[in-house]
């Protein structure tokens, strides 16, 4: 499994766009990139998944350059409720044996007013 | 759609005692995971089931931890005997594990305190 490196923490203010970058230099050809969000006293929650280029949903965007050695989770106009830990996961795509979900240390995002 | 159910929510035991956690995944989800999350750290995968078969249990301390998923639905995780370092939140998650539905859904976890 590819090792991931993320900043330990980030600070932002309400209304700003936040970009969290994850490095995964040893990503394999078949690996997908997935981001989860975790609030205190709750289990992680799926945010977005991608393989290449750009993926956007109602919550976030995921930018993946052509070499796929890094990815950036973009949160538009954050609010106080976006304060959480964000995890970048890189691993096998879903297959018959299920998806491997290996979490690293994550990035603690703190949003202030 | 009902979420992943876990019980109990909290448990306090003395070291060397035994404890069991229960998980009921989302209906139809073939893949079930158990994680251990120590305060301040990311979740650590203990075991992954696909239906009632084990896919990965490489990080499960098999001398004291055991897990089963009978009939490919509910699952139990047991610790016997518990150590102080087992104090953590134990999370259960489930997923379809398919390209169309890749996301895993997590329960709220069981917070275990070993004293």
């Amino acid at each position: 499994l590819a090792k991931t490196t993320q900043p330990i923490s980030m600070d932002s203010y309400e209304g700003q766009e936040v970009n969290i970058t994850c490095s995964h230099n040893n990503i394999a050809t078949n690996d997908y990139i997935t981001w989860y969000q975790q609030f205190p006293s709750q289990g992680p929650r799926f945010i977005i998944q991608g393989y290449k280029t750009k993926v956007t949903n109602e919550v976030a965007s995921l930018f993946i350059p052509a070499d796929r050695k890094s990815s950036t989770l973009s949160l538009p106009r954050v609010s106080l409720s976006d304060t959480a830990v964000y995890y970048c996961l890189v691993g096998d795509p879903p297959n018959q044996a299920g998806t491997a979900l290996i979490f690293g240390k994550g990035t603690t995002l703190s949003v202030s007013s | 759609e009902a979420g992943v159910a876990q019980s109990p929510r909290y448990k306090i035991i003395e070291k060397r005692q035994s404890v069991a956690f229960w998980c009921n995944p989302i209906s139809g989800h073939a893949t079930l995971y158990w994680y251990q999350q120590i305060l301040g750290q990311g979740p650590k995968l203990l075991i992954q089931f696909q239906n009632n078969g084990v896919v990965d249990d490489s990080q499960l301390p098999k001398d004291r931890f055991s897990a089963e998923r009978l009939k490919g639905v509910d699952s139990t995780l047991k610790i016997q005997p518990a150590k102080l370092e087992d104090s953590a939140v134990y999370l259960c998650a489930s997923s379809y594990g398919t390209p169309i539905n890749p996301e895993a859904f997590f329960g709220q976890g069981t917070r275990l305190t070993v004293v």
Side-chain angles (χ1 to χ4, degrees):
Chain A
L1 291 171
K3 180 180 177 180
T4 60
T5 302
Q6 305 175 231
I8 294 175
S9 63
M10 295 182 67
D11 296 314
S12 182
Y13 291 97
E14 284 189 293
Q16 290 188 332
E17 178 184 73
V18 171
N19 296 309
I20 306 175
T21 297
C22 178
S23 297
H24 29 80
N25 291 318
N26 297 321
I27 189 168
T29 303
N30 293 333
D31 284 347
Y32 277 65
I33 300 155
T34 310
W35 286 80
Y36 279 79
Q37 173 193 56
Q38 186 176 27
F39 298 114
S41 301
Q42 294 187 25
R45 185 181 73 166
F46 175 92
I47 300 175
I48 198 166
Q49 183 179 77
Y51 182 78
K52 62 180 179 180
T53 62
K54 177 184 174 182
V55 180
T56 298
N57 62 22
E58 64 277 8
V59 177
S61 294
L62 178 60
F63 297 93
I64 305 168
D67 65 7
R68 303 199 329 121
K69 293 184 182 299
S70 67
S71 58
T72 299
L73 175 72
S74 181
L75 305 172
R77 298 179 297 281
V78 295
S79 64
L80 296 176
S81 63
D82 292 316
T83 294
V85 179
Y86 293 81
Y87 295 97
C88 167
L89 285 69
V90 173
D92 294 341
N95 55 34
Q96 289 186 340
T99 305
L101 294 179
I102 306 300
F103 289 80
K105 297 179 179 179
T107 297
T108 299
L109 173 64
S110 299
V111 181
S112 303
S113 58
Chain B
E1 182 179 69
V4 176
Q6 290 189 246
S7 67
R9 286 296 312 278
Y10 306 93
K11 190 74 176 178
I12 301 175
I13 62 172
E14 296 183 348
K15 59 183 179 183
R16 291 187 290 273
Q17 284 188 322
S18 301
V19 65
F21 312 126
W22 173 81
C23 173
N24 179 233
I26 293 173
S27 177
H29 282 191
T31 308
L32 185 147
Y33 312 83
W34 281 103
Y35 289 87
Q36 178 194 62
Q37 187 169 27
I38 293 172
L39 187 64
Q41 300 182 18
K44 172 188 170 184
L45 179 66
L46 293 176
I47 189 167
Q48 178 183 341
F49 291 96
Q50 181 72 6
N51 296 309
N52 61 349
V54 176
V55 174
D56 183 358
D57 64 354
S58 58
Q59 297 200 80
L60 186 73
K62 298 180 184 63
D63 58 333
R64 299 186 300 108
F65 286 65
S66 64
E68 60 182 8
R69 190 182 185 196
L70 298 176
K71 301 180 181 179
V73 182
D74 292 6
S75 178
T76 56
L77 176 70
K78 298 179 181 177
I79 307 176
Q80 178 180 10
K83 294 184 176 181
L84 296 177
E85 59 260 36
D86 298 331
S87 294
V89 175
Y90 290 84
L91 294 162
C92 178
S94 69
S95 74
Y96 286 113
T98 65
I100 297 176
N101 298 289
E103 64 184 284
F105 294 84
F106 283 77
Q108 289 200 293
T110 297
R111 183 176 297 277
L112 174 67
T113 302
V114 182
V115 298

